[in-house]
Amino acid sequence: MAKKPSIRTQTGFLRPTSSVLLAPARAMSSHVRRIYHEKYQGQYRFAFIVFLFDAFLTGIIVTLLGINIFLWASSNSKTSGLEAEVHAPVMIASQTIPVEVVIKSTDGRIHRDVSLTWEFSPSIDVKAMSPAAGLFGSVKLGDISPLSQAHAKVRIQVHAEVGSKVPLRFRVREGLWGNTIQGGEVRQVESGALYAEPAVEAKEVFPGAAIPLRIKNTGNEETDAFILRLIRNTGSNASFGNLGTMVQMEKLAAGEEKIIGIQLDQEISNSVQLTWQLEQQGRIIFRKSGIWKSAVGIAPQVTVKKNEKNIEIQNNNNTDIKIVGMQGEFDVPQNQSRTIDPSQATIGGYVFPYIESSHGSQLVVPTLLPIPVQLPFEAEVRYYSATGDQLGIGPLPPREGELTSYWVLWRVGPVDRELNDLHVHAKLASGVERTGAFTASLGKNNSVDKNEMDWLIPRLEAGTKAEFGLEIQVKPKPEQVGKVLPLVSTSTIENVFVQNWKNPLTSLLDSDFKNKSPGIVLPRISK
Amino acid sequence: MHDMFFWKRMCASFLAVTLVLPVSVSAASGIRGSPKILNLYLGWEIKESDVPLLARWDMLVLDVDQQQRYPHLIRQLRERNPKIIILAYISSSEIAQARFLESTDFPMGRLAKDVQDAWYLRAPNGNRTEFWPGSSLLNVTNLSSGTGERWNEYLPRFIRDQVMSTGLWDGIFLDNTFVGISYFARSQVDLDRNGRAETDVDANTKWQAGTRSLIHAIRALNPNALLIGNGGTVYADQLNGILSENFPSWNWNENLREYRDALTKNRGPKLGSINVNTKNEARPQDFKRMRFGLASTLMDDGYYSFDQGDWNHHVMWWYDEYEANLGMPQGAAKKIIEQPTTAEGSVWLRRFTKGIAVVNGTNVARRINLPGVFERLRGKQDPQTNDGSLIRTLNLDAQDGAILFNRSDVSDIKNTSFQNGSFVRIFNGQGQVVQNGFFAQREDAPSGALVFIGNVDSEEREDQIYMNGDTVTVKPGKGGKVINFKPFGKSKQTFTLSVGNVNRDPQKEIIVARNGGGPSEVRVFNMKGKLLVSWVAYNPAFLGGVRTAVGDVDGDGLREIVTAPGPGGGPHIKIWKTDGKNWGGSFFAFDPGEVGGVSIAIGDVDGDGKAEIIAGSGQGSIPRVRIFDFRGTLKQEFRIGNVPLAQGITVGTTDIQGDGKDEIFITGQSAF
């Protein structure tokens, strides 16, 4: 039985409308069917499954593409009405550089809740920021009206080589979900505050010679600590002497310089090639290479004598010798001597002689000056470690009649030249005794007596340090209530050449940042 | 031809789709070791989102009807925690009126339909008796009549045919296993329906006998089912466990004795348990009460449940203490302080391999001298108590408990090398400090030496390997000859040491490389110092040395050696087969511009059963750690300081907490 047409179909309006609307879909499905019949049917055993997979994959790809296009279009579809400019001086590596972004309204309306997010590369360290960044790293700039402008300032330090490109980028957002504009520019590092260049323009080196490097801070502010590293050497086994191939350099004040020698082997090839670099925060900020020829003949040498105040350098050769020292260059004419100040000693206590020949300057064997060795020696008592871990146990501050344990640390070095047979000795205060626990990064614990510490370091290499820790415990007596508790009476370090000592240590725990107590013994808790 | 092409195409399509679509990976969960925890999750509803949370419990009791409502969720629970015990809740002597409204698709609906009028427990006047509002008591005694079978005969068959046959359950939680009926029926009872009340003694005796018959029959028909009873300890010898609900119900000392006695009598596996609750008030933050119950439970080997109470056994309260792995118990609990005779209770302490549990059952605060130095938990919920502090005396409130860890020391560092005398800090895979740091100092090895302690020769005892200067020393744990050799000849350089099995023999091998100041050559030796294989990991002109770690990073059962360059090179991590052939994987652990060297370690820090690659930042960098999978995908990153560290940090992994997850230990930051 024929179906009775509905009122709407009787009007004749729906059919043409739906035909028009469905036409693209029909065309598409017709096209798809044709593809199936032409490319799939009869081609595979499971043609329809293959077709469905391909269609599924194509669908996913088209969808993802569509989403990306949509996101891209929506992020670029509107003009934000905000304009941002970066202002920054010339980029100098290892120097603090002020960077400012100025944001203005260009569309005559008020932009609400504008915020800025800095997007710096890993080679940039932020030293200060104004306004300060919030929880998610964005800087709140508030409302920007047509007549006003907002400023975001930051002080950065760039750790990159000269010539490298540094992006200074940021994002500006209006409100929480509003328009975002990205801005910024890429700057080139024009110069660096730190450099390490040979202190002598020598072309040749004798076997066993040292090439003095002058490391200077040419900037107008103190640098952060950095590392000097020798990364390539061909033609000779080279190092910074006992310091190895890496030297941790401390901060350099504005204009300050240091000199250190790259020590070559006694056997070198005809050509010696070296590369060294400076690193800051794990990034290379300076790199340099040099090539030296092997000098022919016997290297002239100087001898050194020390009198009560000064050092005398004797040139017994038939040639004039120039010497690079920390305070500048000086001459020692042939067969003459010259008195110099110990302050001429460079890192490790060396000066660097060289001669002028017809081939140019030739570096000879470095000279070690007999100046006193610095022997840094520290001692401290801790209840908490520097990283906040609890080391001690028991009441803090100590309490009468109850055991409190602490750790005492002695640190030696870093020393500027190798030292042997260092002996560290400490006497604990009355009533304080060792628990038996200790730690030594180097050397041997020879402590026997319960109230003493004995630590022997057979060899401490130049540039290194050693630590020794001892757990002690004390049970305060009634007469110590209300007083600071003495813990270590004396600490001394010595070998045949040097010695140093430290003041007594108490329960004050000056260097223990987590300790909030004054270290004064509390009375016993009454039961 | 077409077939081959078809399958290739299918595989390619599948691969493409799996790469495009997000993949959800469910890691196995569950808490191992002590404390063992129980959740009585008896509400009607379980949400999909509850599954990962519920899977953390060791034992779970669900209403038996959930086998019909959520069988897929029960299976998901087992997938997430293969060791979980899931029990079906069934009352031994009661049926709620609501069950009669259920469809017979549900097991309790079917049971309700089968309940015969003769099975109800009646008063002498013929009225049905009630203990719990809205529920009728059923006569569990052997006097129960009916057509064909008694109630205590029907229920075992029902459990076999309708419950255990589903394969979803490990056993049955049998509620209301009353010692006697006289108290619970709230009236006199007529067990034999003769119109006369039994005396209390007679009724209780018959009730016990009937319950015993019931349990016996359940066991006979369901020999593999675990059985827990809620109620009288008189059935302890027949059951795997007794739940002490509402603990302590009247006297802590006596309840604790009952709990321990029952566990002694229970059949294995013993599943005795304690339920402490907040008396039907929503007080999840009653941490003291929770600790009190937990520490009480830990005085023996039972399971612990803490919830709102018998009106709402349907919460998922979770506590820091639940994740505190105390390890295996070391003997029985001991009473360490007896309360003065004027009061009740006492103080008990039990030792475990990883710590102790202490409970103060008295009604006064106690100061307890501990048998050594212990470390409190580090928790967020009750930070005043769980502050991570080291203590040797414990102030414990009345009716309070404590879980304390042993203080970690160098003996906890196993199967990884460390520098003797260094200060070690312990982090989990999320970068949280999990324990106080300590000095890793062994007196039987030189200070400053690289030390490895572990079973190297596959004999029972631990062996010791250390590298002091240029010399490796191998001390077999079984005794015998100490072997010394110089892997790189006489040298003043420093080296790195790692130990792991690189071939198919049972012994481990020793991997040594220069730690800077030379080419990046990796040398692998056997325990006798024989060179097995060597290769240069990076450009031969690079003189910064190389650091190594060994482990199975791709989960194929074979180990790989992972290398990281020493100072001077970019942070380029490479993965090698143990014979020195390139495995093929490599990635940058940090910004390629960072040239301070990278420290490397391998360990399963997230407990997913796969080893991760852990990279520590090098010289001059802000100290930080990154965790990667073997594809180089960054899984986690954290900083451990804000000041650049001249020498960089050294990372290692070892399972200090014994929870199956490796902790990351870091050296390089001075304690001073």
Side-chain angles (χ1 to χ4, degrees):
Chain A
M1 195 168 73
K3 193 178 176 185
K4 187 180 175 184
S6 71
I7 294 171
R8 291 195 70 189
T9 52
Q10 279 177 332
T11 63
F13 179 73
L14 182 62
R15 186 183 295 271
T17 307
S18 62
S19 297
V20 170
L21 289 175
L22 289 171
R26 282 184 179 140
M28 173 64 91
S29 74
S30 164
H31 184 64
V32 170
R33 274 200 302 277
R34 202 178 73 230
I35 290 174
Y36 173 72
H37 288 303
E38 286 178 3
K39 309 244 167 148
Y40 289 82
Q41 196 173 41
Q43 301 287 318
Y44 311 109
R45 181 186 285 181
F46 305 107
F48 190 62
I49 297 175
V50 176
F51 175 73
L52 277 182
F53 259 98
D54 286 0
F56 178 59
L57 269 183
T58 310
I60 286 174
I61 291 164
V62 169
T63 307
L64 289 175
L65 200 63
I67 290 169
N68 278 306
I69 290 170
F70 173 76
L71 291 174
W72 177 80
S74 57
S75 66
N76 293 282
S77 58
K78 299 172 194 169
T79 53
S80 68
L82 286 171
E83 185 182 274
E85 284 177 8
V86 182
H87 301 280
V90 171
M91 293 281 120
I92 303 172
S94 308
Q95 286 284 282
T96 307
I97 299 162
V99 178
E100 183 179 21
V101 173
V102 181
I103 302 141
K104 301 175 204 163
S105 167
T106 57
D107 59 358
R109 69 182 179 90
I110 299 171
H111 295 266
R112 305 280 180 195
D113 290 334
V114 177
S115 61
L116 178 142
T117 307
W118 296 100
E119 293 179 336
F120 289 130
S121 70
S123 59
I124 291 178
D125 274 359
V126 174
K127 296 289 182 184
M129 199 180 276
S130 172
L135 187 61
F136 299 104
S138 63
V139 175
K140 290 197 183 303
L141 301 174
D143 299 344
I144 301 177
S145 63
L147 298 175
S148 69
Q149 55 187 24
H151 300 257
K153 296 177 184 176
V154 66
R155 293 173 72 78
I156 60 169
Q157 213 169 71
V158 179
H159 306 293
E161 285 183 84
V162 173
S164 53
K165 309 275 188 187
V166 177
L168 302 173
R169 294 210 172 91
F170 57 86
R171 268 185 296 122
V172 177
R173 171 175 289 170
E174 189 178 348
L176 195 57
W177 305 106
N179 291 332
T180 300
I181 58 164
Q182 291 188 314
E185 56 192 51
V186 176
R187 291 289 192 91
Q188 183 166 307
V189 179
E190 301 290 344
S191 62
L194 279 168
Y195 73 78
E197 302 275 6
V200 180
E201 291 287 327
K203 293 183 176 169
E204 294 183 349
V205 287
F206 284 96
I211 299 161
L213 286 185
R214 186 187 307 279
I215 303 153
K216 186 163 185 178
N217 174 12
T218 59
N220 52 13
E221 64 182 71
E222 184 182 72
T223 66
D224 287 341
F226 58 98
I227 285 170
L228 168 65
R229 193 189 307 278
L230 195 58
I231 57 166
R232 291 275 189 285
N233 55 63
T234 53
S236 170
N237 273 332
S239 66
F240 297 108
N242 287 327
L243 299 172
T245 55
M246 189 278 282
V247 183
Q248 174 69 45
M249 305 291 292
E250 298 302 320
K251 296 173 180 180
L252 285 187
E256 188 183 358
E257 65 180 46
K258 299 268 184 187
I259 294 178
I260 189 169
I262 303 177
Q263 176 77 55
L264 305 180
D265 249 8
Q266 290 299 331
E267 289 182 15
I268 60 173
S269 305
N270 289 335
S271 171
V272 172
Q273 185 171 356
L274 303 172
T275 304
W276 60 92
Q277 65 190 28
L278 300 178
E279 299 164 15
Q280 212 166 27
Q281 314 280 358
R283 274 88 177 178
I284 300 165
I285 54 170
F286 178 89
R287 184 181 289 202
K288 180 102 181 179
S289 297
I291 300 176
W292 292 265
K293 282 185 186 171
S294 172
V296 180
I298 298 168
Q301 290 189 358
V302 294
T303 54
V304 184
K305 277 192 272 181
K306 186 176 186 303
N307 60 29
E308 281 180 6
K309 287 184 180 174
N310 291 313
I311 299 163
E312 190 178 275
I313 293 190
Q314 177 73 42
N315 177 2
N316 295 323
N317 304 283
N318 293 323
T319 180
D320 294 343
I321 285 183
K322 290 174 179 291
I323 293 181
V324 175
M326 199 57 235
Q327 307 301 325
E329 285 194 16
F330 54 91
D331 296 319
V332 187
Q334 55 183 299
N335 298 313
Q336 289 186 30
S337 63
R338 177 161 180 163
T339 299
I340 65 165
D341 192 88
S343 63
Q344 282 288 5
T346 65
I347 292 174
Y350 291 94
V351 289
F352 302 94
Y354 69 96
I355 55 175
E356 298 276 13
S357 76
S358 54
H359 308 107
S361 299
Q362 293 174 315
L363 280 160
V364 298
V365 178
T367 302
L368 182 60
L369 300 183
I371 53 171
V373 176
Q374 294 293 315
L375 182 57
F377 182 46
E378 301 293 332
E380 57 189 51
V381 179
R382 279 190 172 269
Y383 191 89
Y384 295 99
S385 78
T387 51
D389 296 86
Q390 187 183 342
L391 301 172
I393 301 156
L396 188 71
R399 188 182 295 278
E400 180 202 338
E402 290 184 43
L403 267 184
T404 294
S405 60
Y406 303 87
W407 277 78
V408 192
L409 167 94
W410 293 268
R411 182 190 288 138
V412 183
V415 288
D416 50 12
R417 67 175 73 165
E418 182 179 306
L419 291 173
N420 293 312
D421 298 325
L422 284 164
H423 182 227
V424 185
H425 182 82
K427 193 164 176 54
L428 306 183
S430 172
V432 181
E433 56 183 35
R434 296 190 290 117
T435 66
F438 75 96
T439 179
S441 69
L442 197 65
K444 199 175 174 191
N445 175 23
N446 279 342
S447 310
V448 178
D449 193 302
K450 257 193 160 304
N451 298 99
E452 293 187 6
M453 180 280 275
D454 224 28
W455 174 33
L456 184 68
I457 309 170
R459 187 167 71 104
L460 185 63
E461 290 183 8
T464 64
K465 59 189 175 187
E467 288 178 350
F468 185 89
L470 194 68
E471 192 182 37
I472 59 168
Q473 62 185 18
V474 59
K475 192 184 277 186
K477 295 172 184 162
E479 60 269 26
Q480 291 175 313
V481 172
K483 297 174 186 167
V484 169
L485 205 57
L487 296 174
V488 180
S489 301
T490 56
S491 302
T492 58
I493 180 168
E494 60 185 344
N495 74 354
V496 292
F497 301 112
V498 292
Q499 63 176 24
N500 206 340
W501 61 278
K502 292 311 289 181
N503 286 327
L505 301 171
T506 68
S507 56
L508 275 172
L509 312 187
D510 295 334
S511 49
D512 202 326
F513 78 97
K514 208 171 168 183
N515 166 46
K516 300 280 189 285
S517 84
I520 294 169
V521 177
L522 299 175
R524 186 188 292 267
I525 299 175
S526 56
K527 285 188 177 176
Chain B
M1 183 72 179
H2 276 166
D3 283 357
M4 182 62 78
F5 181 69
F6 167 77
W7 287 114
K8 279 185 182 171
R9 196 176 182 120
M10 292 289 279
C11 290
S13 303
F14 179 73
L15 198 64
V17 171
T18 49
L19 288 174
V20 170
L21 295 176
V23 179
S24 76
V25 178
S26 61
S29 54
I31 305 294
R32 41 355 41 216
S34 298
K36 295 181 286 189
I37 45 175
L38 159 71
N39 192 339
L40 307 165
Y41 201 68
L42 298 177
W44 297 114
E45 190 184 18
I46 305 175
K47 296 184 193 125
E48 291 263 357
S49 56
D50 294 341
V51 171
L53 305 173
L54 286 172
R56 296 180 297 177
W57 269 267
D58 298 288
M59 185 155 60
L60 187 61
V61 178
L62 302 176
D63 187 86
V64 67
D65 278 352
Q66 309 298 30
Q67 71 178 40
Q68 182 65 21
R69 283 194 197 95
Y70 308 113
H72 61 295
L73 298 186
I74 296 174
R75 290 189 190 98
Q76 282 180 26
L77 282 164
R78 291 194 187 283
E79 277 173 26
R80 286 191 166 265
N81 179 4
K83 291 183 179 171
I84 195 169
I85 296 170
I86 307 178
L87 304 180
Y89 171 92
I90 296 173
S91 177
S92 66
S93 54
E94 204 174 40
I95 184 154
Q97 295 307 313
R99 302 291 192 181
F100 292 91
L101 305 175
E102 287 183 13
S103 151
T104 53
D105 291 340
F106 292 92
M108 285 309 289
R110 281 195 290 279
L111 185 142
K113 184 172 163 284
D114 290 346
V115 167
Q116 298 177 28
D117 187 62
W119 293 350
Y120 287 105
L121 179 67
R122 293 179 188 274
N125 61 7
N127 288 342
R128 291 181 189 176
T129 54
E130 271 190 4
F131 165 58
W132 198 255
S135 296
S136 296
L137 284 166
L138 295 165
N139 186 350
V140 80
T141 69
N142 296 326
L143 302 172
S144 156
S145 57
T147 53
E149 58 187 349
R150 299 190 303 269
W151 162 248
N152 66 4
E153 291 169 331
Y154 165 84
L155 186 60
R157 188 169 57 77
F158 168 82
I159 287 171
R160 181 192 64 187
D161 298 342
Q162 304 294 334
V163 183
M164 294 306 294
S165 61
T166 61
L168 292 169
W169 307 100
D170 294 300
I172 305 296
F173 178 87
L174 213 52
D175 198 11
N176 300 341
T177 49
F178 303 134
V179 176
I181 193 58
S182 57
Y183 165 76
F184 297 99
R186 300 167 193 232
S187 70
Q188 290 186 310
V189 293
D190 176 10
L191 295 175
D192 51 9
R193 305 288 295 273
N194 62 0
R196 292 197 303 273
E198 273 77 22
T199 63
D200 284 357
V201 173
D202 192 29
N204 291 341
T205 306
K206 285 171 177 161
W207 190 269
Q208 267 190 33
T211 305
R212 278 196 170 278
S213 298
L214 172 74
I215 298 168
H216 179 78
I218 295 173
R219 277 239 177 267
L221 294 183
N222 303 276
N224 296 322
L226 301 169
L227 288 181
I228 291 188
N230 183 18
T233 56
V234 292
Y235 314 113
D237 58 325
Q238 286 184 287
L239 296 165
N240 296 97
I242 303 286
L243 173 70
S244 302
E245 200 178 7
N246 301 312
F247 180 95
S249 54
W250 49 286
N251 176 302
W252 181 82
N253 258 358
E254 198 52 35
N255 290 150
L256 187 73
R257 188 191 59 73
E258 280 183 355
Y259 156 69
R260 299 181 74 206
D261 281 354
L263 270 166
T264 312
K265 292 173 186 164
N266 284 152
R267 295 184 177 199
K270 295 176 188 266
L271 304 176
S273 45
I274 281 178
N275 167 259
V276 176
N277 54 60
T278 51
K279 299 187 174 173
N280 294 309
E281 291 172 15
R283 286 187 284 123
Q285 293 186 327
D286 193 343
F287 302 118
K288 184 179 156 187
R289 189 169 181 79
M290 186 283 301
R291 282 194 305 266
F292 181 50
L294 178 60
S296 300
T297 309
L298 286 169
M299 293 304 111
D300 211 316
D301 298 336
Y303 288 71
Y304 179 58
S305 150
F306 182 70
D307 59 19
Q308 191 166 321
D310 43 17
W311 286 95
N312 189 11
H313 283 310
H314 190 228
V315 296
M316 288 189 286
W317 298 347
W318 190 260
Y319 299 94
D320 294 325
E321 281 81 356
Y322 287 4
E323 298 181 36
N325 180 21
L326 285 174
M328 298 304 292
Q330 304 286 289
K334 286 182 181 164
K335 203 183 288 186
I336 54 172
I337 301 175
E338 191 79 59
Q339 179 79 336
T341 51
T342 51
E344 291 173 345
S346 46
V347 178
W348 290 67
L349 181 146
R350 193 175 190 206
R351 282 179 177 273
F352 294 79
T353 50
K354 295 276 175 188
I356 56 172
V358 188
V359 59
N360 179 7
T362 73
N363 52 13
V364 290
R366 288 290 193 173
R367 182 175 168 82
I368 299 155
N369 289 322
L370 299 172
V373 175
F374 292 89
E375 185 162 352
R376 286 184 183 276
L377 272 58
R378 284 168 191 261
K380 289 180 182 165
Q381 294 166 319
D382 187 7
Q384 279 200 321
T385 302
N386 295 333
D387 62 357
S389 59
L390 294 169
I391 52 172
R392 59 164 76 90
T393 55
L394 173 68
N395 294 318
L396 204 54
D397 264 358
Q399 310 269 296
D400 198 355
I403 286 181
L404 305 168
F405 288 126
N406 296 337
R407 183 190 196 181
S408 291
D409 61 24
V410 68
S411 65
D412 293 318
I413 305 181
K414 299 279 170 63
N415 297 312
T416 186
S417 63
F418 62 93
Q419 187 165 28
N420 203 23
S422 54
F423 183 66
V424 169
R425 299 188 71 206
I426 315 290
F427 295 82
N428 63 16
Q430 284 75 50
Q432 295 153 336
V433 173
V434 293
Q435 290 188 12
N436 282 294
F438 57 87
F439 294 102
Q441 178 77 50
R442 287 186 72 96
E443 293 189 41
D444 55 358
S447 290
L450 296 170
V451 181
F452 176 94
I453 305 292
N455 191 341
V456 181
D457 58 7
S458 79
E459 301 282 345
E460 276 188 10
R461 302 190 62 173
E462 283 177 340
D463 308 296
Q464 186 188 67
I465 297 173
Y466 63 79
M467 185 161 193
N468 190 29
D470 58 6
T471 306
V472 170
T473 299
V474 182
K475 288 184 180 172
K478 63 183 177 188
K481 190 180 172 189
V482 174
I483 295 158
N484 291 295
F485 65 95
K486 294 181 190 297
F488 283 83
K490 199 172 177 187
S491 173
K492 277 192 164 186
Q493 291 170 317
T494 59
F495 297 91
T496 65
L497 173 78
S498 53
V499 178
N501 197 341
V502 304
N503 51 28
R504 292 176 191 277
D505 68 15
Q507 296 186 337
K508 289 180 178 150
E509 282 70 37
I510 301 162
I511 303 148
V512 184
R514 288 189 190 88
N515 186 23
S520 55
E521 187 182 1
V522 179
R523 292 187 178 179
V524 181
F525 299 85
N526 68 11
M527 274 188 75
K528 292 177 179 167
K530 183 187 171 191
L531 181 65
L532 301 178
V533 63
S534 71
W535 69 93
V536 176
Y538 298 94
N539 188 325
F542 171 61
L543 300 176
V546 61
R547 288 83 185 267
T548 63
V550 59
D552 179 11
V553 294
D554 58 2
D556 65 352
L558 301 172
R559 279 141 308 264
E560 290 78 37
I561 291 175
V562 180
T563 61
H572 187 194
I573 308 299
K574 283 187 176 181
I575 305 176
W576 306 82
K577 294 178 182 174
T578 50
D579 58 2
K581 289 177 183 160
N582 199 335
W583 178 88
S586 77
F587 57 91
F588 281 92
F590 296 99
D591 181 71
E594 288 193 40
V595 291
V598 178
S599 163
I600 199 88
I602 294 173
D604 180 9
V605 296
D606 56 10
D608 66 353
K610 295 174 194 162
E612 286 80 41
I613 297 170
I614 295 101
S617 58
Q619 295 171 347
S621 292
I622 302 247
R624 61 203 196 280
V625 174
R626 284 184 171 180
I627 301 169
F628 301 88
D629 68 10
F630 69 99
R631 294 187 183 91
T633 309
L634 181 64
K635 296 178 83 172
Q636 188 64 254
E637 175 180 29
F638 57 91
R639 274 186 178 199
I640 59 165
N642 296 313
V643 180
L645 209 56
Q647 295 300 324
I649 58 171
T650 303
V651 293
T653 60
T654 190
D655 185 7
I656 284 183
Q657 297 196 316
D659 58 358
K661 291 182 197 170
D662 283 329
E663 279 73 44
I664 300 169
F665 73 86
I666 296 174
T667 59
Q669 286 179 301
S670 174
F672 299 94

